[in-house]
Amino acid sequence: MSITTRAAITRAPHVGWELVDLQLDEPKAHEVRVKLMAAGLCHSDDHITTGDAPIRLPVVGGHEGAGIVESVGPDVQRVKPGDKIVCSYIPACGACRPCSTGHSNMCVKGLNAGTGMFEDGTWRFHEGDTDIGGFCTLGTFSQYAVVSEWATVPLREDFQDIPWEVLCLVGCGVPTGWGSAVHAAGVRAGDTVVIFGAGGVGSNAVQGARFAGAKNVVVVDPVEFKR
Ligand SMILES: NC(=O)c1ccc[n+]([C@@H]2O[C@H](COP(=O)([O-])OP(=O)(O)OC[C@H]3O[C@@H](n4cnc5c(N)ncnc54)[C@H](O)[C@@H]3O)[C@@H](O)[C@H]2O)c1
Ligand SMILES: [Zn+2]
Ligand SMILES: [Zn+2]
């Protein structure tokens, strides 16, 4: 059964976010409906409203989210109703060629990030007759969202008490910053690392560089309180 969900959408560049009531379908095969408990605001969401990230509009914003699985569609194996999950802005099916060769950042299930369209060519959010996608096929600026089971990461037993507003950040900013230092830059013990921008990504790049053993970590940011 479809439900009504309050969501923040943007209809066009430079008009900002608008709170609306949308209809949200029930999950289809390999999809889950999530009750979102917290969402992060990544700068990539802002790039939608400025037109710097040209994607299909209108769109439900948000690609960092954590919540509770409300219901599941047929054939879902990764999670069950009641599970606490973090959404991943790139799905990882574990079975496609990129996933099975260690490159889940290029999972083929992530092809529709800019349209929010699901694999069967349809959308789950609707405003009257208008189909609306979720950013990165998530749309976490909403009370509820339907997402691919491959975009869910169930919480380990010993992570259950982490606050929602901390958990949601693990969906984009944390792995992007951490991975930039540890994997992309390949920081090694004793390195001196310079990080430009002390925001969501940059502050996690600091943590990654520190973890990898950097001797000096220099952060450049024009905003005083960020420094
Ligand atoms: N996987 C990805 O490709 C990915 C994931 C997340 C974010 N991003 C992108 O990374 C960028 C940062 O995202 P965020 O969420 O960390 O943003 P943020 O707004 O949290 O942080 C950006 C920081 O950059 C600082 N800054 C601005 N101008 C600067 C300058 N000239 N020199 C140094 N610092 C400067 C700002 O003061 C701010 O602290 C955005 O463009 C975002 O879209 C990409
Ligand atoms: Zn992001
Ligand atoms: Zn895959």
Side-chain angles (χ1 to χ4, degrees), residues 26-34 65 69-81 83-95 99 107 109-110 117-119 124 136-138 145-155:
E26 59 184 12
K28 295 187 182 178
H30 294 293
E31 298 171 8
V32 311
R33 194 156 64 188
V34 185
V69 175
E70 180 249 8
S71 57
V72 300
D75 305 323
V76 169
Q77 294 187 340
R78 189 173 289 186
V79 292
K80 59 184 185 312
D83 282 357
K84 292 182 177 182
I85 61 132
V86 173
C87 298
S88 175
Y89 83 99
I90 299 177
C93 73
C99 278
C107 175
K109 304 285 185 191
M117 189 177 76
F118 281 81
E119 276 185 276
R124 301 293 168 268
C136 298
T137 326
L138 294 175
V146 171
V147 306
S148 161
E149 71 168 312
W150 314 123
T152 66
V153 181
L155 290 194

Side-chain angles (χ1 to χ4, degrees), residues 23 56 66 91 112 119 126 134 145 157 168 191 194 215-216 225:
Q23 288 305 115
R56 181 185 183 274
N112 296 327
E119 276 185 276
H126 312 280
E157 207 47 50
C168 67
D191 282 354
V194 183
K215 185 176 181 193
N216 304 298
F225 91 92

Side-chain angles (χ1 to χ4, degrees), residues 9-153:
I9 66 169
T10 193
R11 297 184 189 276
H14 308 296
V15 298
W17 299 103
E18 182 185 343
L19 280 176
V20 292
D21 287 325
L22 302 177
Q23 288 305 115
L24 179 63
D25 297 337
E26 59 184 12
K28 295 187 182 178
H30 294 293
E31 298 171 8
V32 311
R33 194 156 64 188
V34 185
K35 179 181 186 185
L36 289 151
M37 304 301 289
L41 176 66
C42 172
H43 209 116
S44 300
D45 295 298
D46 193 62
H47 289 321
I48 303 174
T49 64
T50 58
D52 291 333
I55 63 167
R56 181 185 183 274
L57 300 175
V59 67
V60 176
H63 58 288
E64 291 181 337
I68 300 166
V69 175
E70 180 249 8
S71 57
V72 300
D75 305 323
V76 169
Q77 294 187 340
R78 189 173 289 186
V79 292
K80 59 184 185 312
D83 282 357
K84 292 182 177 182
I85 61 132
V86 173
C87 298
S88 175
Y89 83 99
I90 299 177
C93 73
C96 69
R97 183 177 173 84
C99 278
S100 57
T101 53
H103 299 98
S104 61
N105 55 311
M106 293 187 286
C107 175
V108 297
K109 304 285 185 191
L111 288 177
N112 296 327
T115 63
M117 189 177 76
F118 281 81
E119 276 185 276
D120 65 355
T122 62
W123 284 264
R124 301 293 168 268
F125 290 111
H126 312 280
E127 187 185 41
D129 294 335
T130 304
D131 296 322
I132 299 184
F135 189 28
C136 298
T137 326
L138 294 175
T140 59
F141 295 172
S142 178
Q143 292 168 316
Y144 291 87
V146 171
V147 306
S148 161
E149 71 168 312
W150 314 123
T152 66
V153 181

